Amino acid sequence: MLKGKTALVTGSTSGIGLGIAKALAQQGANIVLNGFGDAEGPKAEIAALGVEVEYHGADMSKPSDIEDMMKFSASKFGRVDVLVNNAGIQHVAKVEDFPVERWDAVIAINLTSAFHTTRLAVPDMRKTNWGRIINIASAHGLVASAQKSAYVAAKHGIVGLTKSVALETATTGVTCNAICPGWVLTPLVQKQIDDRSSREGISIEQAQKDLLGEKQPSLQFTTVEQLGGLAVFLCSPTADQVRGVAWQVDGGWTAQ
Ligand code: NAD
């Protein structure tokens, strides 16, 4: 379905981003990976799916790096057809204790980076009259939790950005939507489980159960494959009129 198209997935060296990159590659899209840590493993996994793959190590908190990554993608593949804004970090602290530099980093990486990639991708998408912008928000884009002020602010912000961009592109073949996962067992969440286990002196298994039990009525993690499947659907012609949604994949979290 996506043969000949190019997908740039930010923060795709691990977790949800890598899962979505694989799902798009399975549909034939060439992939630009981004993120920290080992890039060779993820690159090889994508190449094994028979598509072309490139990697750019832009730090998503730096606008000049992002501009460089967008230029790099265009120089390798002509343009970006599918933009998945996924890179994200978390920091957990009470608002009065929240380190100012962590606040700035969470907002820069989880929200402002999507503004930069989007503003730079939309002109080419308008030219070809086709494009897909998929923002990985969160259940925390729709409801809050204590001690996550920066993350909740950034995720609510990206849901708002999604709606504005969807309206600005509404008469074109470019769509912009958000996906709002509940708990997904990735390194970002594993850290919160580990912290909980050591803070409360309970096993990792118990910490996992408690984490799900608090928020996610299905008591099961959302998987990266399920999120990849939704991203593929949003790229399909069936989704041409799906515009500006914030689509929960959260086991019922936000239905409560
Ligand atoms: P993860 O930690 O596994 O992956 C995050 C990715 O972002 C990694 O590739 C990392 O290298 C990259 N990254 C971090 N800082 C970066 C920076 N400054 N520049 C470039 N890349 C950077 O996390 P994940 O759970 O896969 O999270 C991916 C997205 O999904 C995030 O936006 C997160 O908020 C969102 N999300 C996660 C969950 C969950 O339960 N895991 C739930 C809802 C939403």
Side-chain angles (χ1 to χ4, degrees):
M1 186 177 75
L2 296 175
K3 209 166 169 44
K5 301 237 187 302
T6 301
L8 165 63
V9 186
T10 70
S12 47
T13 47
S14 100
I16 294 170
L18 181 55
I20 290 178
K22 278 192 206 163
L24 297 175
Q26 276 160 358
Q27 297 299 318
N30 295 323
I31 303 291
V32 181
L33 293 172
N34 156 261
F36 296 152
D38 169 46
E40 288 312 310
K43 261 181 99 172
E45 283 183 57
I46 300 283
L49 297 168
V51 299
E52 286 180 54
V53 56
E54 296 286 346
Y55 165 77
H56 192 286
D59 179 340
M60 298 304 286
S61 67
K62 298 197 172 121
S64 58
D65 276 23
I66 297 173
E67 287 193 18
D68 200 59
M69 178 181 70
M70 300 306 289
K71 280 189 196 139
F72 169 86
S73 306
S75 76
K76 293 290 175 187
F77 293 120
R79 69 186 170 274
V80 171
D81 303 289
V82 178
L83 168 64
V84 183
N85 290 308
N86 166 80
I89 57 167
Q90 174 63 283
H91 189 84
V92 180
K94 284 190 203 152
V95 71
E96 63 268 37
D97 300 331
F98 217 93
V100 171
E101 69 62 42
R102 285 290 85 198
W103 171 280
D104 288 343
V106 171
I107 300 293
I109 295 164
N110 295 27
L111 175 58
T112 309
S113 72
F115 158 66
H116 289 298
T117 53
T118 301
R119 75 180 171 81
L120 295 165
V122 161
D124 277 346
M125 290 179 175
R126 283 191 192 276
K127 267 186 218 150
T128 53
N129 199 33
W130 195 90
R132 293 291 190 256
I133 301 169
I134 301 174
N135 293 324
I136 307 306
S138 167
H140 284 119
L142 302 168
V143 296
S145 293
Q147 307 209 358
K148 294 187 175 174
S149 54
Y151 189 83
V152 169
K155 294 301 186 182
H156 275 66
I158 205 165
V159 168
L161 174 68
T162 301
K163 291 178 188 174
S164 274
V165 174
L167 292 180
E168 289 180 24
T169 53
T171 58
T172 74
V174 181
T175 71
C176 180
N177 293 290
I179 294 178
C180 297
W183 294 123
V184 187
L185 195 52
T186 65
L188 181 140
V189 165
Q190 188 61 49
K191 183 177 178 306
Q192 295 174 61
I193 292 169
D194 295 346
D195 289 350
R196 189 180 191 129
S197 146
S198 57
R199 195 176 60 243
E200 297 179 9
I202 55 177
S203 67
I204 297 282
E205 205 183 26
Q206 190 58 45
Q208 230 179 58
K209 263 194 188 156
D210 293 352
L211 184 100
L212 284 170
E214 240 169 46
K215 300 279 185 187
Q216 198 141 314
S218 66
L219 303 178
Q220 289 181 40
F221 287 103
T222 299
T223 67
V224 298
E225 289 77 16
Q226 289 159 355
L227 298 173
L230 179 53
V232 167
F233 166 73
L234 289 172
C235 291
S236 73
T238 314
D240 277 353
Q241 292 310 321
V242 180
R243 291 170 187 264
V245 305
W247 192 319
Q248 301 101 313
V249 193
D250 65 3
W253 180 325
T254 53
Q256 298 170 95

